[in-house]
Coordinates of all heavy atoms in Angstrom, one line a residue:
I281 N -14.4 -2.5 -4.1 CA -13.8 -3.1 -5.3 C -12.9 -4.2 -5.1 O -12.5 -4.9 -6.1 CB -13.1 -1.9 -6.0 CG1 -11.8 -1.5 -5.2 CG2 -14.0 -0.7 -6.4 CD1 -11.1 -0.4 -5.9
G282 N -12.6 -4.6 -3.8 CA -11.8 -5.8 -3.6 C -10.4 -5.6 -3.5 O -9.8 -4.7 -4.1
A283 N -9.7 -6.6 -3.0 CA -8.2 -6.5 -2.7 C -7.5 -6.6 -4.1 O -6.4 -6.0 -4.3 CB -7.8 -7.6 -1.8
T284 N -8.0 -7.4 -4.9 CA -7.3 -7.7 -6.3 C -7.2 -6.3 -7.1 O -6.2 -6.0 -7.6 CB -8.0 -8.7 -7.1 OG1 -8.0 -10.0 -6.4 CG2 -7.3 -9.0 -8.4
T285 N -8.4 -5.7 -7.1 CA -8.4 -4.5 -7.9 C -7.5 -3.4 -7.3 O -6.8 -2.6 -8.0 CB -9.9 -3.9 -8.1 OG1 -10.6 -4.9 -8.7 CG2 -9.9 -2.6 -8.9
V286 N -7.5 -3.2 -6.0 CA -6.7 -2.3 -5.3 C -5.2 -2.6 -5.6 O -4.5 -1.7 -5.8 CB -6.9 -2.4 -3.8 CG1 -5.9 -1.5 -3.0 CG2 -8.3 -1.8 -3.4
S287 N -4.8 -3.9 -5.5 CA -3.5 -4.3 -5.7 C -3.0 -4.0 -7.2 O -1.9 -3.7 -7.4 CB -3.2 -5.7 -5.3 OG -4.0 -6.6 -6.1
V288 N -4.0 -4.2 -8.1 CA -3.6 -3.9 -9.6 C -3.3 -2.4 -9.7 O -2.4 -2.1 -10.4 CB -4.7 -4.4 -10.5 CG1 -4.5 -3.9 -11.9 CG2 -4.8 -5.9 -10.5
G289 N -4.1 -1.6 -9.0 CA -3.9 -0.2 -9.0 C -2.5 0.2 -8.6 O -1.9 1.1 -9.1
I290 N -2.0 -0.5 -7.6 CA -0.7 -0.2 -7.0 C 0.4 -0.4 -8.0 O 1.5 0.1 -7.9 CB -0.5 -1.0 -5.7 CG1 -1.6 -0.6 -4.6 CG2 0.9 -0.7 -5.1 CD1 -1.5 -1.4 -3.4
I291 N 0.1 -1.3 -9.1 CA 1.2 -1.4 -10.1 C 1.6 -0.1 -10.7 O 2.7 0.1 -11.2 CB 0.7 -2.4 -11.2 CG1 0.5 -3.8 -10.5 CG2 1.7 -2.6 -12.3 CD1 -0.1 -4.8 -11.6
G292 N 0.6 0.8 -10.8 CA 0.9 2.1 -11.3 C 1.7 3.1 -10.5 O 2.2 4.1 -11.0
E293 N 2.1 2.6 -9.3 CA 2.9 3.5 -8.5 C 4.3 3.9 -9.1 O 4.7 5.0 -9.0 CB 3.1 2.8 -7.1 CG 3.8 3.6 -6.1 CD 4.0 2.9 -4.7 OE1 3.2 2.0 -4.5 OE2 4.8 3.4 -3.9
P294 N 5.0 2.8 -9.7 CA 6.3 3.2 -10.3 C 6.2 4.3 -11.5 O 7.0 5.2 -11.6 CB 6.8 1.9 -10.8 CG 6.1 0.8 -10.1 CD 4.8 1.4 -9.8
V295 N 5.1 4.2 -12.2 CA 4.9 5.1 -13.3 C 4.6 6.5 -12.7 O 5.3 7.5 -13.2 CB 3.6 4.7 -14.2 CG1 3.4 5.7 -15.3 CG2 3.8 3.3 -14.7
L296 N 3.8 6.6 -11.7 CA 3.6 8.0 -11.1 C 4.8 8.5 -10.4 O 5.1 9.7 -10.5 CB 2.4 7.8 -10.1 CG 1.1 7.6 -10.7 CD1 0.0 7.4 -9.6 CD2 0.6 8.7 -11.5
A297 N 5.6 7.6 -9.8 CA 6.9 8.0 -9.2 C 7.9 8.5 -10.2 O 8.5 9.6 -10.0 CB 7.6 6.8 -8.4
I298 N 7.9 7.9 -11.4 CA 8.8 8.4 -12.4 C 8.4 9.8 -13.0 O 9.1 10.7 -13.1 CB 8.8 7.5 -13.7 CG1 9.5 6.1 -13.3 CG2 9.5 8.1 -14.9 CD1 9.4 5.0 -14.3
I299 N 7.0 10.0 -13.1 CA 6.5 11.3 -13.6 C 6.7 12.4 -12.5 O 7.2 13.5 -12.9 CB 4.9 11.2 -13.8 CG1 4.7 10.2 -15.0 CG2 4.3 12.5 -14.1 CD1 3.3 9.9 -15.3
L300 N 6.6 12.1 -11.2 CA 6.8 12.9 -10.2 C 8.3 13.3 -10.1 O 8.7 14.6 -9.9 CB 6.4 12.5 -8.8 CG 4.9 12.3 -8.6 CD1 4.6 11.5 -7.3 CD2 4.2 13.7 -8.6
A301 N 9.2 12.4 -10.3 CA 10.6 12.6 -10.3 C 11.0 13.6 -11.5 O 11.9 14.3 -11.4 CB 11.4 11.3 -10.4
Y302 N 10.4 13.4 -12.6 CA 10.7 14.2 -13.8 C 10.3 15.7 -13.5 O 11.1 16.5 -13.8 CB 9.9 13.7 -15.0 CG 10.0 14.5 -16.2 CD1 11.1 14.5 -17.0 CD2 9.0 15.4 -16.6 CE1 11.2 15.3 -18.2 CE2 9.0 16.2 -17.8 CZ 10.1 16.1 -18.5 OH 10.2 16.9 -19.6
F303 N 9.1 15.9 -12.9 CA 8.6 17.3 -12.7 C 9.3 18.0 -11.5 O 9.6 19.1 -11.6 CB 7.1 17.3 -12.5 CG 6.4 17.1 -13.9 CD1 5.7 16.0 -14.2 CD2 6.3 18.2 -14.8 CE1 5.1 15.8 -15.4 CE2 5.7 18.0 -16.0 CZ 5.0 16.9 -16.3
F304 N 9.5 17.2 -10.5 CA 10.0 17.9 -9.2 C 11.5 17.7 -9.0 O 12.1 18.5 -8.3 CB 9.2 17.3 -8.0 CG 7.8 17.6 -8.0 CD1 6.8 16.7 -8.4 CD2 7.4 18.9 -7.6 CE1 5.5 17.0 -8.4 CE2 6.0 19.2 -7.6 CZ 5.1 18.3 -8.0
L305 N 12.1 16.6 -9.5 CA 13.5 16.4 -9.4 C 14.3 16.6 -10.6 O 15.6 16.5 -10.6 CB 13.7 15.0 -8.8 CG 13.0 14.6 -7.5 CD1 13.3 13.2 -7.1 CD2 13.4 15.6 -6.4
G306 N 13.7 16.8 -11.7 CA 14.4 17.0 -13.0 C 15.1 15.7 -13.5 O 16.0 15.8 -14.4
E307 N 14.6 14.6 -13.1 CA 15.1 13.3 -13.6 C 14.6 13.0 -15.0 O 13.4 13.1 -15.2 CB 14.9 12.2 -12.6 CG 15.5 12.3 -11.3 CD 15.3 11.0 -10.4 OE1 14.6 10.2 -10.8 OE2 15.8 11.1 -9.2
M308 N 15.5 12.6 -15.9 CA 15.1 12.3 -17.3 C 14.4 10.9 -17.3 O 14.7 10.0 -16.5 CB 16.3 12.3 -18.2 CG 17.0 13.6 -18.3 SD 15.9 15.0 -18.8 CE 15.4 14.4 -20.4
I309 N 13.5 10.8 -18.3 CA 12.9 9.5 -18.4 C 13.6 8.7 -19.5 O 13.8 9.1 -20.6 CB 11.4 9.7 -18.9 CG1 10.6 10.4 -17.8 CG2 10.7 8.3 -19.1 CD1 9.3 10.9 -18.2
S310 N 14.0 7.5 -19.1 CA 14.8 6.6 -20.0 C 13.8 5.9 -21.0 O 12.6 5.9 -20.8 CB 15.6 5.5 -19.3 OG 14.7 4.6 -18.6
V311 N 14.4 5.3 -22.0 CA 13.6 4.6 -23.0 C 12.9 3.4 -22.4 O 11.7 3.1 -22.6 CB 14.5 4.0 -24.1 CG1 13.7 3.1 -25.1 CG2 15.2 5.2 -24.9
F312 N 13.6 2.7 -21.4 CA 13.1 1.5 -20.7 C 11.8 2.0 -19.9 O 10.8 1.4 -19.8 CB 14.0 0.9 -19.8 CG 15.0 0.0 -20.4 CD1 16.4 0.4 -20.6 CD2 14.7 -1.2 -20.9 CE1 17.2 -0.4 -21.2 CE2 15.5 -2.1 -21.6 CZ 16.8 -1.6 -21.8
Q313 N 12.0 3.2 -19.3 CA 10.8 3.7 -18.4 C 9.7 4.1 -19.3 O 8.6 3.9 -18.9 CB 11.4 4.9 -17.6 CG 12.3 4.4 -16.5 CD 12.9 5.7 -15.8 OE1 13.1 6.8 -16.3 NE2 13.4 5.5 -14.5
L314 N 10.0 4.7 -20.5 CA 8.9 5.1 -21.4 C 8.1 3.9 -21.9 O 6.8 3.9 -21.8 CB 9.5 6.0 -22.5 CG 8.5 6.5 -23.5 CD1 7.5 7.5 -22.9 CD2 9.3 7.1 -24.7
I315 N 8.8 3.0 -22.3 CA 8.1 1.7 -22.9 C 7.4 1.0 -21.8 O 6.2 0.6 -21.9 CB 9.1 0.8 -23.5 CG1 9.8 1.4 -24.8 CG2 8.4 -0.5 -23.9 CD1 10.9 0.6 -25.4
G316 N 8.1 0.8 -20.6 CA 7.5 0.2 -19.5 C 6.2 0.9 -19.0 O 5.2 0.3 -18.6
G317 N 6.3 2.2 -18.9 CA 5.2 3.0 -18.4 C 4.0 2.9 -19.3 O 2.9 2.7 -18.9
M318 N 4.2 2.9 -20.6 CA 3.1 2.7 -21.6 C 2.5 1.4 -21.5 O 1.3 1.3 -21.5 CB 3.7 3.0 -23.1 CG 4.0 4.5 -23.3 SD 4.8 4.7 -24.9 CE 3.4 4.3 -25.9
L319 N 3.4 0.4 -21.4 CA 2.8 -1.0 -21.1 C 2.0 -1.1 -19.9 O 0.9 -1.7 -19.8 CB 3.9 -2.1 -21.2 CG 4.5 -2.4 -22.6 CD1 5.7 -3.3 -22.4 CD2 3.5 -3.1 -23.5
T320 N 2.5 -0.6 -18.8 CA 1.9 -0.7 -17.5 C 0.4 0.1 -17.6 O -0.6 -0.5 -17.2 CB 2.7 0.0 -16.4 OG1 3.9 -0.8 -16.3 CG2 2.0 -0.1 -15.1
L321 N 0.5 1.3 -18.1 CA -0.7 2.0 -18.2 C -1.8 1.3 -19.1 O -3.0 1.5 -18.9 CB -0.5 3.5 -18.7 CG 0.4 4.4 -17.8 CD1 0.7 5.7 -18.4 CD2 -0.4 4.5 -16.5
M322 N -1.3 0.7 -20.3 CA -2.2 0.1 -21.1 C -2.8 -1.2 -20.4 O -4.0 -1.4 -20.5 CB -1.4 -0.4 -22.4 CG -2.3 -1.1 -23.4 SD -1.4 -1.5 -24.9 CE -0.3 -2.8 -24.4
G323 N -2.0 -2.0 -19.7 CA -2.6 -3.1 -19.0 C -3.6 -2.7 -17.9 O -4.6 -3.2 -17.8
M324 N -3.1 -1.6 -17.2 CA -4.1 -1.1 -16.1 C -5.3 -0.6 -16.8 O -6.4 -0.7 -16.2 CB -3.3 -0.1 -15.3 CG -2.3 -0.7 -14.4 SD -1.4 0.7 -13.5 CE -2.8 1.4 -12.6
G325 N -5.2 0.2 -17.8 CA -6.3 0.8 -18.4 C -7.3 -0.2 -18.9 O -8.5 0.0 -18.7
L326 N -6.9 -1.3 -19.6 CA -7.8 -2.3 -20.0 C -8.5 -3.0 -18.8 O -9.6 -3.3 -18.8 CB -7.0 -3.4 -20.8 CG -6.5 -3.0 -22.2 CD1 -5.7 -4.0 -22.8 CD2 -7.8 -2.8 -23.1
Y327 N -7.7 -3.3 -17.7 CA -8.2 -3.9 -16.5 C -9.4 -3.1 -15.9 O -10.4 -3.5 -15.7 CB -7.1 -4.1 -15.5 CG -7.6 -4.8 -14.2 CD1 -7.6 -6.2 -14.1 CD2 -8.0 -3.9 -13.2 CE1 -8.1 -6.8 -12.9 CE2 -8.4 -4.6 -12.0 CZ -8.5 -5.9 -11.9 OH -8.9 -6.5 -10.7
F328 N -9.0 -1.7 -15.7 CA -10.0 -0.9 -15.0 C -11.1 -0.6 -15.9 O -12.3 -0.3 -15.5 CB -9.4 0.3 -14.5 CG -8.4 0.2 -13.3 CD1 -7.1 0.4 -13.4 CD2 -9.0 -0.3 -12.2 CE1 -6.3 0.2 -12.3 CE2 -8.2 -0.5 -11.0 CZ -6.9 -0.3 -11.1
W329 N -11.0 -0.6 -17.2 CA -12.1 -0.4 -18.2 C -13.1 -1.5 -18.0 O -14.3 -1.3 -18.0 CB -11.5 -0.3 -19.6 CG -12.7 -0.3 -20.6 CD1 -13.5 0.7 -20.9 CD2 -13.1 -1.4 -21.5 NE1 -14.3 0.4 -21.9 CE2 -14.2 -0.9 -22.3 CE3 -12.6 -2.7 -21.6 CZ2 -14.8 -1.8 -23.2 CZ3 -13.2 -3.5 -22.6 CH2 -14.2 -3.0 -23.4
S330 N -12.5 -2.8 -18.0 CA -13.5 -3.9 -17.8 C -14.1 -3.9 -16.5 O -15.3 -4.2 -16.3 CB -12.7 -5.3 -18.0 OG -11.7 -5.4 -17.0
K331 N -13.4 -3.5 -15.5 CA -14.0 -3.5 -14.0 C -15.0 -2.3 -14.0 O -16.0 -2.5 -13.2 CB -12.9 -3.3 -13.1 CG -12.0 -4.6 -12.8 CD -12.8 -5.6 -12.1 CE -12.0 -6.9 -11.9 NZ -12.8 -7.9 -11.2
S332 N -14.7 -1.3 -14.7 CA -15.6 -0.1 -14.6 C -17.0 -0.5 -15.2 O -18.0 -0.1 -14.7 CB -15.0 1.1 -15.3 OG -15.8 2.2 -15.3
L333 N -16.9 -1.2 -16.3 CA -18.2 -1.6 -16.9 C -19.0 -2.5 -16.0 O -20.2 -2.3 -15.8 CB -17.9 -2.3 -18.2 CG -17.3 -1.6 -19.5 CD1 -17.1 -2.5 -20.6 CD2 -18.3 -0.4 -19.8
K334 N -18.3 -3.4 -15.4 CA -18.9 -4.3 -14.4 C -19.5 -3.6 -13.2 O -20.6 -3.8 -12.8 CB -17.9 -5.4 -13.9 CG -18.6 -6.3 -13.0 CD -17.5 -7.5 -12.7 CE -18.1 -8.5 -11.6 NZ -17.1 -9.5 -11.3
Y335 N -18.7 -2.6 -12.7 CA -19.2 -1.8 -11.6 C -20.4 -0.9 -11.9 O -21.3 -0.8 -11.1 CB -18.0 -0.8 -11.1 CG -18.4 0.1 -10.1 CD1 -18.4 -0.4 -8.7 CD2 -18.7 1.4 -10.3 CE1 -18.8 0.6 -7.7 CE2 -19.1 2.3 -9.2 CZ -19.1 1.9 -7.9 OH -19.4 2.7 -6.9

Side-chain angles (χ1 to χ4, degrees):
I281 63 178
T284 299
T285 301
V286 170
S287 63
V288 170
I290 297 174
I291 297 179
E293 185 177 345
V295 180
L296 290 176
I298 290 170
I299 296 174
L300 290 172
Y302 174 79
F303 283 106
F304 293 102
L305 303 177
E307 294 185 1
M308 299 304 295
I309 299 177
S310 69
V311 176
F312 283 107
Q313 290 173 335
L314 180 61
I315 296 174
M318 292 176 64
L319 283 173
T320 299
L321 292 177
M322 183 173 68
M324 291 177 59
L326 287 172
Y327 178 88
F328 286 119
W329 172 74
S330 63
K331 287 292 181 180
S332 179
L333 291 178
K334 183 177 178 181
Y335 177 79

